[in-house]
Structures are given as structure tokens and as C-alpha cells.
Amino acid sequence: MTNLIKPIKTTTLSETWGLLQRHEYELQRRNGKWQHQIRETYDRGDGAATLLCDKSDKTVVLIRQFRYPAFYRGEQPYLIEVCAGKLDGDDPLTCARKEAVEETGYEAGDMILAFDTFMSPGSVTERLSLYVGMITGPAAGKGGGLEGEGEDIEVLKLPFAKALEMIGTGEIADAKTIMLLQYAALKGVFA
């Protein structure tokens, strides 16, 4: 693939919260012609997320937290999501387990890797490892996230069927959460 792209120039635009860069390059199109293109990429690192499932009562553990981009767009800024976080040097499975406890208080037992996926490949470099984790008991901690990371998380335990309905009503609008809930439905996690 590297012979299809001729890099020209990369400029760093910001390193405030992540790495924002402008890339100028020539791309060889499928017809063989070369086309000049300019794109921006945003890199905050890779992450992992987990849909926590409690088979004993057919519930899922989700979180609700403030998301500035939703607020900026004039939409509901408190999104319902699966627990997730940046790898920060951990492997994806370790990160997924750590974030589950930090954000929800629940420990995950068996973990199933559902997807390794790009969430917004048009401009964001992040790749997420998405898991379904089984919980087998009450919360071991209080959850809520880490104040030092700006987290103020509400923990929600919902019937799985209700969570699926919330996709249709728009109450759940986060892509990773929708993907994991649909994965759990397709794979019969609660069957």
C-alpha cells in the first residue's frame, strides 16, 4: 500500500488533548491517476470498551456521562454508554477490566472480544477493542470514574430488553454501545 501514497508534508496543528495533524499527500486512484489530497487526523490513542452483562437477572450495566461534543452540537450532552477508556500502555483486555471497575464498580469475569474496530476512520486514528463481559455478583466498588480525569459518571443497571429499546428511541446514541448491545442480541448472550 505504501507505493500508492506519496507523502508530501505533515504539519502538527495541536497537541493540547491529543495530536491533531494536517497531512498533504498524493494518492494513486484505482484508475492509476495520482490525486493531490489534504486530510486532518486526530490521535488520542487506542481504547477498549465493555458491555457488562448480568445473566442472573438479564441486565446490562451502562454509564451516563457528560460529553462536550454532544453539548457543542446542541444535543443531549449526557450520553448513555458502555464503560470505556484509553489503553494508556495497557493491553486492551487489561484496560477493559480496569475501566469496568473504575467507571461502574463491577468486575468482569469471562470476557468475549466482539470487535477490534475503527470508530470514525475519516479523521480519527483510534481503534477500539470492544468486549462483552459477564458479571457474577454485586459491585465491588462504587464506580463513578476518576475525578482527576474529569469523570463524573452515573452507573445504570438496565434490563437488556430495555437497553435495546433505547437504541430505537435515540436514548442510546453512542456507536460502541449500539454495536455491543446488537452483538449481544445477535449472539444470544442472554438466551
Short mmCIF file of all heavy atoms in Angstrom, two decimals, residues 131-160:
data_model
loop_
_atom_site.label_atom_id
_atom_site.label_comp_id
_atom_site.label_asym_id
_atom_site.label_seq_id
_atom_site.Cartn_x
_atom_site.Cartn_y
_atom_site.Cartn_z
N TYR A 131 -15.59 -5.43 24.01
CA TYR A 131 -15.81 -6.69 24.72
C TYR A 131 -17.22 -6.78 25.29
O TYR A 131 -17.86 -5.77 25.58
CB TYR A 131 -14.84 -6.80 25.91
CG TYR A 131 -13.40 -6.92 25.54
CD1 TYR A 131 -12.60 -5.79 25.39
CD2 TYR A 131 -12.81 -8.18 25.34
CE1 TYR A 131 -11.26 -5.90 25.05
CE2 TYR A 131 -11.47 -8.29 25.00
CZ TYR A 131 -10.70 -7.14 24.86
OH TYR A 131 -9.38 -7.25 24.52
N VAL A 132 -17.66 -8.01 25.49
CA VAL A 132 -18.83 -8.31 26.31
C VAL A 132 -18.28 -9.03 27.53
O VAL A 132 -17.58 -10.04 27.40
CB VAL A 132 -19.85 -9.19 25.56
CG1 VAL A 132 -20.98 -9.60 26.48
CG2 VAL A 132 -20.39 -8.45 24.33
N GLY A 133 -18.56 -8.48 28.71
CA GLY A 133 -18.05 -9.05 29.95
C GLY A 133 -19.18 -9.53 30.84
O GLY A 133 -20.21 -8.86 30.95
N MET A 134 -19.00 -10.67 31.46
CA MET A 134 -20.01 -11.23 32.36
C MET A 134 -19.68 -10.87 33.80
O MET A 134 -18.55 -11.06 34.26
CB MET A 134 -20.05 -12.76 32.21
CG MET A 134 -20.26 -13.24 30.80
SD MET A 134 -21.72 -12.55 30.02
CE MET A 134 -21.31 -12.76 28.30
N ILE A 135 -20.69 -10.34 34.49
CA ILE A 135 -20.52 -10.07 35.91
C ILE A 135 -21.28 -11.14 36.69
O ILE A 135 -22.30 -11.64 36.23
CB ILE A 135 -20.96 -8.65 36.31
CG1 ILE A 135 -22.40 -8.37 35.92
CG2 ILE A 135 -20.06 -7.62 35.68
CD1 ILE A 135 -22.91 -7.01 36.38
N THR A 136 -20.76 -11.48 37.83
CA THR A 136 -21.35 -12.60 38.58
C THR A 136 -21.78 -12.23 39.99
O THR A 136 -22.22 -13.09 40.73
CB THR A 136 -20.34 -13.76 38.66
OG1 THR A 136 -19.13 -13.28 39.25
CG2 THR A 136 -20.04 -14.33 37.29
N GLY A 137 -21.66 -10.97 40.35
CA GLY A 137 -22.04 -10.59 41.70
C GLY A 137 -22.27 -9.09 41.80
O GLY A 137 -22.26 -8.39 40.79
N PRO A 138 -22.46 -8.63 43.01
CA PRO A 138 -22.69 -7.19 43.20
C PRO A 138 -21.43 -6.38 42.90
O PRO A 138 -20.34 -6.92 42.79
CB PRO A 138 -23.06 -7.09 44.69
CG PRO A 138 -22.46 -8.30 45.31
CD PRO A 138 -22.45 -9.37 44.26
N ALA A 139 -21.62 -5.11 42.77
CA ALA A 139 -20.49 -4.21 42.51
C ALA A 139 -19.48 -4.32 43.63
O ALA A 139 -19.83 -4.35 44.81
CB ALA A 139 -20.98 -2.77 42.36
N ALA A 140 -18.21 -4.39 43.24
CA ALA A 140 -17.12 -4.48 44.22
C ALA A 140 -16.71 -3.09 44.71
O ALA A 140 -16.09 -2.95 45.75
CB ALA A 140 -15.92 -5.19 43.60
N GLY A 141 -17.04 -2.07 43.94
CA GLY A 141 -16.70 -0.69 44.28
C GLY A 141 -17.85 0.23 43.93
O GLY A 141 -18.91 -0.21 43.49
N LYS A 142 -17.63 1.52 44.10
CA LYS A 142 -18.71 2.47 43.84
C LYS A 142 -18.76 2.95 42.40
O LYS A 142 -19.76 3.46 41.95
CB LYS A 142 -18.62 3.66 44.78
CG LYS A 142 -17.37 4.50 44.61
CD LYS A 142 -17.35 5.67 45.59
CE LYS A 142 -16.09 6.48 45.38
NZ LYS A 142 -16.30 7.75 44.79
N GLY A 143 -17.67 2.79 41.65
CA GLY A 143 -17.65 3.29 40.27
C GLY A 143 -17.66 4.80 40.25
O GLY A 143 -17.22 5.45 41.19
N GLY A 144 -18.13 5.36 39.18
CA GLY A 144 -18.22 6.81 39.06
C GLY A 144 -17.06 7.45 38.32
O GLY A 144 -17.08 8.64 38.03
N GLY A 145 -16.01 6.68 38.03
CA GLY A 145 -14.87 7.22 37.30
C GLY A 145 -13.88 7.91 38.20
O GLY A 145 -13.99 7.89 39.43
N LEU A 146 -12.89 8.53 37.56
CA LEU A 146 -11.82 9.21 38.29
C LEU A 146 -11.97 10.72 38.14
O LEU A 146 -11.94 11.25 37.03
CB LEU A 146 -10.45 8.77 37.75
CG LEU A 146 -10.14 7.27 37.84
CD1 LEU A 146 -8.80 6.96 37.20
CD2 LEU A 146 -10.18 6.79 39.28
N GLU A 147 -12.13 11.39 39.26
CA GLU A 147 -12.30 12.85 39.24
C GLU A 147 -11.11 13.52 38.57
O GLU A 147 -11.28 14.49 37.82
CB GLU A 147 -12.47 13.37 40.67
CG GLU A 147 -12.78 14.86 40.71
CD GLU A 147 -13.05 15.36 42.11
OE1 GLU A 147 -13.31 14.56 43.03
OE2 GLU A 147 -13.00 16.59 42.29
N GLY A 148 -9.91 13.01 38.78
CA GLY A 148 -8.71 13.57 38.18
C GLY A 148 -8.71 13.51 36.66
O GLY A 148 -7.98 14.24 36.00
N GLU A 149 -9.53 12.62 36.09
CA GLU A 149 -9.68 12.53 34.63
C GLU A 149 -10.92 13.27 34.15
O GLU A 149 -11.32 13.14 33.00
CB GLU A 149 -9.73 11.06 34.21
CG GLU A 149 -8.42 10.32 34.42
CD GLU A 149 -8.49 8.86 33.96
OE1 GLU A 149 -9.51 8.43 33.38
OE2 GLU A 149 -7.48 8.16 34.17
N GLY A 150 -11.56 14.02 35.06
CA GLY A 150 -12.74 14.79 34.69
C GLY A 150 -14.00 13.95 34.59
O GLY A 150 -15.01 14.39 34.04
N GLU A 151 -13.97 12.74 35.15
CA GLU A 151 -15.13 11.86 35.05
C GLU A 151 -16.09 12.08 36.22
O GLU A 151 -15.67 12.24 37.36
CB GLU A 151 -14.67 10.40 35.03
CG GLU A 151 -13.85 10.05 33.81
CD GLU A 151 -13.28 8.64 33.85
OE1 GLU A 151 -12.98 8.12 34.95
OE2 GLU A 151 -13.12 8.07 32.76
N ASP A 152 -17.37 12.12 35.92
CA ASP A 152 -18.45 12.23 36.89
C ASP A 152 -19.56 11.33 36.36
O ASP A 152 -20.49 11.78 35.70
CB ASP A 152 -18.91 13.68 37.02
CG ASP A 152 -19.96 13.87 38.09
OD1 ASP A 152 -20.11 12.99 38.96
OD2 ASP A 152 -20.67 14.89 38.03
N ILE A 153 -19.43 10.04 36.59
CA ILE A 153 -20.20 9.01 35.91
C ILE A 153 -21.33 8.47 36.78
O ILE A 153 -21.13 8.13 37.94
CB ILE A 153 -19.26 7.86 35.49
CG1 ILE A 153 -18.28 8.38 34.42
CG2 ILE A 153 -20.05 6.66 35.00
CD1 ILE A 153 -17.18 7.40 34.09
N GLU A 154 -22.51 8.39 36.19
CA GLU A 154 -23.67 7.75 36.81
C GLU A 154 -23.73 6.31 36.31
O GLU A 154 -23.66 6.07 35.10
CB GLU A 154 -24.94 8.49 36.42
CG GLU A 154 -26.21 7.88 36.95
CD GLU A 154 -27.47 8.54 36.43
OE1 GLU A 154 -27.37 9.52 35.66
OE2 GLU A 154 -28.56 8.06 36.78
N VAL A 155 -23.85 5.35 37.21
CA VAL A 155 -23.93 3.94 36.85
C VAL A 155 -25.40 3.55 36.71
O VAL A 155 -26.22 3.86 37.57
CB VAL A 155 -23.24 3.06 37.91
CG1 VAL A 155 -23.32 1.58 37.53
CG2 VAL A 155 -21.79 3.48 38.10
N LEU A 156 -25.71 2.88 35.60
CA LEU A 156 -27.08 2.44 35.31
C LEU A 156 -27.11 0.93 35.14
O LEU A 156 -26.28 0.37 34.41
CB LEU A 156 -27.59 3.07 34.00
CG LEU A 156 -27.49 4.58 33.86
CD1 LEU A 156 -27.82 4.99 32.43
CD2 LEU A 156 -28.41 5.26 34.84
N LYS A 157 -28.04 0.26 35.79
CA LYS A 157 -28.25 -1.18 35.57
C LYS A 157 -29.65 -1.32 34.99
O LYS A 157 -30.64 -1.00 35.66
CB LYS A 157 -28.08 -1.98 36.86
CG LYS A 157 -27.99 -3.47 36.60
CD LYS A 157 -27.51 -4.26 37.81
CE LYS A 157 -27.31 -5.71 37.40
NZ LYS A 157 -27.13 -6.59 38.55
N LEU A 158 -29.71 -1.75 33.73
CA LEU A 158 -30.97 -1.77 33.00
C LEU A 158 -31.28 -3.18 32.47
O LEU A 158 -30.36 -3.91 32.11
CB LEU A 158 -30.89 -0.84 31.78
CG LEU A 158 -30.56 0.62 32.03
CD1 LEU A 158 -30.27 1.32 30.71
CD2 LEU A 158 -31.71 1.30 32.74
N PRO A 159 -32.57 -3.50 32.36
CA PRO A 159 -32.90 -4.75 31.68
C PRO A 159 -32.35 -4.70 30.24
O PRO A 159 -32.43 -3.66 29.58
CB PRO A 159 -34.43 -4.77 31.68
CG PRO A 159 -34.81 -3.86 32.81
CD PRO A 159 -33.74 -2.81 32.88
N PHE A 160 -31.79 -5.82 29.79
CA PHE A 160 -31.22 -5.88 28.45
C PHE A 160 -32.25 -5.46 27.40
O PHE A 160 -31.94 -4.68 26.49
CB PHE A 160 -30.70 -7.30 28.18
CG PHE A 160 -30.13 -7.49 26.81
CD1 PHE A 160 -29.04 -6.75 26.39
CD2 PHE A 160 -30.69 -8.42 25.93
CE1 PHE A 160 -28.50 -6.93 25.11
CE2 PHE A 160 -30.16 -8.61 24.67
CZ PHE A 160 -29.07 -7.86 24.25
#
